[in-house]
Amino acid sequence: MAKKEAMKVVRNLDLEKYMGMWYEITSVPSFFQPKDGTNTRATYKLNDNGTVNVVNETWSKGKRVSIEGSAYMADPSNDEAKFKVKFYVPPFFPNIPVLGDYYWVLYIDNDYQHVLVGEPRRKFLWILCRQTKIDEDVYNQLLEKATEEGYDIKKLHKTPQADPPPFSTVEDEDNKGNWWIKSLLGK
């Protein structure tokens, strides 16, 4: 098997512009997300210490489920947008972190409206957008970019998004982190 070339990762990502809510347009389904998830989105907030607070949420069986974590530059001396992400899973055991090097920004437009996110093993892939819908031409360009980076785009699954999206607050009753446990059990 031929060795795959190193992926091209965005350099000098403007973290302040990157913060906020991103809607999942499509992804390669992963074991750590509910299989029936809809309205999946991620909200990023820059912390004073330079790390990023991450809240991933989705709706499964009509209920909001979420998980919270933090992201930080994999190599602060490098200008590549390669992040490590730490979630405490399950959240009621805060001393058991789950680390990943799976958040690499592979492409972002100049206005920070749509992004292609991958990881070094080319196992997971996400297309995120500031809106619940993405222009078809832009979507196809992102698919082309993913293919160039060695991803099998046939594995992508479009994420159903309501328009308008459901509203949620931190106070919403949810099953924090339970999606991870249920996913491990195949539910």
Side-chain angles (χ1 to χ4, degrees):
M1 178 181 266
K3 184 178 177 187
K4 293 182 181 179
E5 288 186 36
M7 287 188 280
K8 295 174 189 77
V9 179
V10 169
R11 293 182 175 276
N12 299 310
L13 181 74
D14 185 332
L15 270 182
E16 289 185 13
K17 283 176 71 173
Y18 197 75
M19 297 299 99
M21 188 175 291
W22 291 92
Y23 296 93
E24 182 182 277
I25 301 301
T26 191
S27 68
V28 173
S30 60
F31 70 91
F32 50 83
Q33 288 182 280
K35 293 175 180 27
D36 67 340
T38 63
N39 300 304
T40 305
R41 58 193 179 201
T43 304
Y44 307 123
K45 181 181 173 197
L46 193 58
N47 296 319
D48 292 338
N49 64 1
T51 64
V52 176
N53 178 262
V54 178
V55 177
N56 290 339
E57 58 186 330
T58 193
W59 274 254
S60 176
K61 295 178 182 37
K63 292 185 179 180
R64 176 185 177 267
V65 291
S66 68
I67 192 164
E68 193 167 346
S70 62
Y72 53 94
M73 293 292 290
D75 180 359
S77 67
N78 191 320
D79 65 354
E80 291 181 313
K82 293 180 179 179
F83 295 88
K84 292 207 178 265
V85 182
K86 178 173 36 178
F87 292 101
Y88 290 102
V89 182
F92 40 86
F93 291 127
N95 295 324
I96 306 174
V98 174
L99 299 172
D101 57 352
Y102 56 83
Y103 198 101
W104 289 12
V105 179
L106 303 177
Y107 174 83
I108 191 161
D109 68 301
N110 291 334
D111 296 326
Y112 284 62
Q113 295 300 302
H114 49 268
V115 63
L116 181 67
V117 177
E119 52 83 39
R121 297 163 301 184
R122 294 175 173 89
K123 189 173 179 181
F124 303 116
L125 182 70
W126 297 269
I127 292 177
L128 308 175
C129 184
R130 295 290 189 178
Q131 305 297 318
T132 57
K133 306 280 186 264
I134 192 169
D135 178 82
E136 198 64 30
D137 288 338
V138 171
Y139 180 73
N140 289 330
Q141 290 170 3
L142 292 170
L143 292 179
E144 187 176 311
K145 172 72 174 157
T147 301
E148 289 171 9
E149 295 299 341
Y151 280 92
D152 180 359
I153 61 170
K154 290 182 224 137
K155 294 180 179 179
L156 287 169
H157 170 74
K158 284 201 174 185
T159 306
Q161 293 283 352
D163 195 13
F167 180 76
S168 70
T169 66
V170 177
E171 294 81 30
D172 281 347
E173 186 177 327
D174 70 10
N175 297 306
K176 265 190 179 177
N178 286 347
W179 77 14
W180 186 80
I181 295 167
K182 289 178 181 178
S183 295
L184 287 180
L185 299 173
K187 298 184 181 203

